[in-house]
Amino acid sequence: MEKAKISRKNPVGTHHPVGNYTHITKIPRNSELYVTSGQIGADLNGEIPASLNDQIKNTFDNIQKVLSSEELTSEHIIKINIWATQKIDWDYLYEEWDKLFGNDYPAMTIGYISELGLPEIKIEIEVWAAKV
């Protein structure tokens, strides 16, 4: 019997995603679910750089560390929620995104909001993952 795995698809009859994400992700029964707190752009010393792109870089580094702590990889990520307080440089974000995901995109939601938990935080990314 073939082992169940996480699957992703863009159903026929839906518009093509407007970014690097998948419309639907299916998680097999009996999978372990992992939900991260929103990861921010703080470095190892807890410093938060002023530049949004520097925060994006640190945020993706932090996501990698959190995932690795549970032996999770991008194939386990099922959903990403992104909140930002200013316009995202999507070319830069997708460079970091592609380092993490390649072409194995999870479902994604993005929202622009007026502020996050601290005034200096410009982006926060929450990750949902599942391990079969």
Side-chain angles (χ1 to χ4, degrees), residues 41-53:
D43 64 18
L44 286 176
N45 297 317
E47 299 296 321
I48 301 170
S51 157
L52 175 59
N53 283 350

Side-chain angles (χ1 to χ4, degrees), residues 4 19 28 31 40 42 48 61 81 83 90 94 109 115 121 125 129:
S31 297
I40 61 170
I48 301 170
D61 289 347
N81 294 314
W83 295 276
W90 284 100
Y94 278 147
T109 299
E115 61 184 61
I121 300 173
I125 302 177

